[in-house]
Amino acid sequence: MKKRLKIEEILSGVNVPSEDNGERFTNSERLDFVKDFLNKTNFTLVKELDLSLIYRHAKYQKSEPIILISSHIDALYSEYFLKEYNKTELIGTFDNSICNCILLYLMAENRLPSNVFIAFTGDEERNSKGAQETAKFLRENNYNTMMAIVLDITGEGYDRHSFTIENYSIPPKCRFKNYLGFDTEEKMEIYLRRILKDFKRVKFIGDADPDEASEYSDYNLCSFSFCFPTRPHPDNEGEVSYVWMHSDKGILIKKKTIKLYMGALLKLLNGIHKEIKHLKIGGLNG
């Protein structure tokens, strides 16, 4: 009988240092955990770049249009920890270990559609070169990337939402917009709301702080960020988000949000997969 994974154990394993110098990783502790962990799953390492690990499902067929999930693993903390804050919240250095953890859990549990590619990237906190490397690799190797979804934390929606959708964009030169059924950000929001119709509270923020979604958009990919709500340590109330999210005092997350965020992400991916799996598209990305 298969041993059931505990998400707390994965979070503890991935909540470790990860640093780079904008060219390559200089502290590979989290990177090494990701690689070792995924060796026991149905996912195959497609390419290890200087600032990106790209995986695909073992059953992926090259003719399938792909959905890219990008989750940065670089971090800016000088100390790493996680612990219970109260009965409903955890506190810890969760940027971006909480999203890394959820993604690893879903990969290990084989819950993701077969056409989902996953990139664990570096340099997001500075210039997003990991995302740039990923986009270039997919384009140069003739993968038909229909959509790029970035998993990251947010300082928005903590009290009322289990996820937010931010920085959603359909670039004018996106060659797949006719296949996707929408060609503007307004129509894209309608499309995503329809897939997520079972969720009563969906928060959209079209122009949030820059993140990897902006980079993928620059490569003419339809993109958005699917974000996990967090709040600052009480000592950091009033600080700008860039400061409190990276504070060694940690940030807070709701325990129940982990399951809710995961369920919404699966609903989103399965809905998009169902709509694009039969498309036959040749040629390079935009």
Side-chain angles (χ1 to χ4, degrees), residues 50-232:
D50 290 332
L51 289 168
S52 181
L53 291 175
I54 304 174
Y55 286 87
R56 64 167 174 80
H57 196 282
K59 292 184 178 180
Y60 168 72
Q61 301 294 319
K62 185 67 185 280
S63 60
E64 289 184 274
I66 73 170
I67 305 165
L68 173 68
I69 298 179
S70 185
S71 183
H72 79 86
I73 59 173
D74 58 313
L76 298 179
Y77 304 106
S78 58
E79 299 178 3
Y80 291 78
F81 76 98
L82 65 95
K83 62 183 179 181
E84 190 171 83
Y85 186 70
N86 54 41
K87 290 183 178 180
T88 63
E89 295 173 296
L90 300 175
I91 189 166
T93 43
F94 296 130
D95 182 15
N96 188 29
S97 61
I98 185 60
C99 293
N100 302 158
C101 166
I102 287 169
L103 193 48
L104 290 173
Y105 178 86
L106 292 175
M107 293 169 79
E109 289 289 301
N110 204 23
R111 301 284 301 279
L112 300 176
S114 61
N115 67 329
V116 171
F117 275 46
I118 297 94
F120 295 98
T121 59
D123 192 51
E124 189 274 346
E125 299 290 2
R126 294 179 177 86
N127 299 307
S128 291
K129 288 184 180 178
Q132 295 170 27
E133 283 186 353
T134 302
K136 288 178 183 178
F137 173 82
L138 295 175
R139 181 177 61 190
E140 291 169 359
N141 287 274
N142 204 23
Y143 288 106
N144 290 311
T145 311
M146 298 294 291
M147 194 174 294
I149 303 173
V150 173
L151 305 191
D152 206 346
I153 64 165
T154 182
E156 302 287 339
Y158 191 82
D159 293 331
R160 290 175 50 84
H161 300 273
S162 55
F163 62 88
T164 66
I165 293 177
E166 305 183 10
N167 290 330
Y168 48 104
S169 174
I170 179 99
K173 293 183 179 180
C174 174
R175 63 167 297 195
F176 297 131
K177 56 189 175 183
N178 292 329
Y179 292 99
L180 290 167
F182 54 83
D183 56 6
T184 66
E185 282 76 20
E186 291 78 12
K187 291 179 182 177
M188 184 178 181
E189 181 175 334
I190 293 170
Y191 171 88
L192 295 174
R193 284 190 185 277
R194 175 169 54 81
I195 292 175
L196 293 167
K197 64 181 185 294
D198 294 341
F199 297 86
K200 293 181 181 179
R201 293 192 293 267
V202 181
K203 186 176 181 67
F204 282 81
I205 306 171
D207 188 19
D209 291 339
D211 58 19
E212 287 187 331
S214 306
E215 294 297 326
Y216 290 115
S217 180
D218 287 345
Y219 280 83
N220 297 321
L221 294 175
C222 169
S223 60
F224 62 91
S225 294
F226 190 77
C227 297
F228 192 107
T230 68
R231 74 176 177 95

Side-chain angles (χ1 to χ4, degrees), residues 30-40 45 48 53 55:
R30 188 178 305 191
L31 184 82
D32 294 339
F33 176 84
V34 168
K35 289 194 289 187
D36 291 344
F37 181 86
L38 291 176
N39 278 337
K40 308 176 186 72
L45 181 61
E48 181 170 0
L53 291 175
Y55 286 87

